């Protein structure tokens, strides 16, 4: 799965990993319960446990997956959703808005000083291009990494598809669908997102 090879999403091992991740995500999302006072450090401890994904330590294969990474001064609003956790790497001073979904069959990397708006979906599974491969719970899938650079702004309701790289300093307008790489220091908007060159300081 992590090497871009076809994999079976409903293999028992992957189903179990997603279920365990779901439990960690549930605990984190419940830290926002108004009836329970929880310190910010404790909230982030719960989020860090999602990325640490200690349940993968039971994996006996020759190349067990590495745990995710969480930088300092990160803010993640609730509710949050992801599939595995260990494929997510978040740099320092990143803010992630409410209702975000990180479908991390492939690796998702977010550079420092980046803001991810509310209801953003990052989907690392490629869209099938052969109807013969679509076999429901018996079908194979392919994942591709998503990389978001430093100092990026991603507006609310953006969807980022598998294999996309977003360059440092890019701005993605709300509601855009990003299907291809976005260069650094540009503004992109639309479905699919189109790039508009910008000279900073202009209106």
């Amino acid at each position: 799965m992590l090497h871009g090879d076809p994999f079976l999403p409903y293999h028992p091992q992957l189903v179990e990993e997603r279920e365990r991740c779901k439990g960690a995500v549930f605990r984190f999302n419940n830290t926002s319960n108004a009836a329970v006072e929880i310190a910010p450090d404790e909230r982030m401890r719960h989020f860090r446990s999602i990325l640490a994904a200690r349940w993968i330590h039971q994996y006996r294969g020759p190349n067990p997956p590495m745990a995710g990474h969480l930088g300092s001064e990160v803010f993640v609003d609730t509710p949050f959703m992801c599939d595995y956790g260990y494929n997510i790497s978040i740099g320092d001073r990143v803010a992630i808005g409410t209702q975000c979904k990180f479908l991390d069959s492939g690796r998702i990397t977010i550079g420092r000083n980046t803001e991810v708006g509310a209801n953003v979906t990052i989907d690392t599974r490629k869209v099938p291009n052969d109807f013969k491969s679509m076999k429901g719970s018996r079908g194979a899938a392919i994942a591709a990494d998503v990389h978001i650079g430093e100092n990026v702004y991603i507006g609310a309701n953006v969807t980022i598809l598998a294999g996309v790289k977003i360059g440092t300093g890019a701005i993605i307008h709300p509601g855009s669908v990003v299907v291809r790489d976005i260069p650094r220091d540009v503004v992109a908007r639309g479905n699919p997102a189109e790039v508009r060159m910008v000279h900073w300081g202009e209106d």
Side-chain angles (χ1 to χ4, degrees), residues 15-198:
V15 171
E16 181 181 358
E17 287 181 4
R18 290 196 298 271
E19 286 299 313
R20 293 191 175 220
C21 181
K22 192 181 299 181
V25 168
F26 176 83
R27 289 188 289 274
F28 168 70
N29 286 336
N30 275 275
T31 61
S32 62
N33 188 334
V36 181
E37 186 174 340
I38 297 179
D41 288 349
E42 180 68 6
R43 290 188 76 250
M44 292 317 295
R45 185 186 71 79
H46 280 278
F47 187 78
R48 189 172 286 106
S49 72
I50 298 171
L51 307 193
R54 300 196 184 281
W55 50 87
I56 65 174
H57 294 170
Q58 67 182 9
Y59 180 66
R60 297 289 193 270
N63 298 302
M66 301 293 291
H69 170 77
L70 182 65
S72 61
E73 300 180 57
V74 173
F75 177 83
V76 182
D77 206 348
T78 56
F80 172 83
M81 181 268 177
C82 67
D83 281 336
Y84 298 96
Y86 55 73
N87 286 331
I88 300 172
S89 179
I90 300 173
D92 298 337
R93 298 178 297 279
V94 168
I96 298 173
T98 184
Q99 298 280 1
C100 283
K101 302 176 183 69
F102 291 3
L103 309 179
D104 59 321
S105 294
R107 293 181 178 87
I108 297 172
T109 305
I110 302 175
R112 61 185 178 179
N113 302 323
T114 288
E115 182 174 353
V116 179
N119 201 36
V120 168
T121 297
I122 302 176
D123 189 354
T124 62
R125 281 176 56 176
K126 290 186 175 182
V127 177
N129 55 16
D130 177 10
F131 71 91
K132 294 180 181 178
S133 67
M134 294 186 289
K135 300 178 181 178
S137 62
R138 293 187 176 183
I142 297 176
D145 299 347
V146 169
H147 177 76
I148 300 170
E150 300 179 355
N151 305 303
V152 171
Y153 174 84
I154 299 173
N157 301 303
V158 166
T159 299
I160 301 171
L161 299 189
V164 163
K165 294 181 180 179
I166 298 178
T168 292
I171 294 175
I172 313 298
H173 269 246
S176 298
V177 178
V178 185
V179 302
R180 60 179 67 91
D181 291 354
I182 303 296
R184 62 181 297 149
D185 299 327
V186 300
V187 173
R189 69 178 78 191
N191 180 9
E194 299 293 340
V195 171
R196 180 171 69 90
M197 303 302 294
V198 171

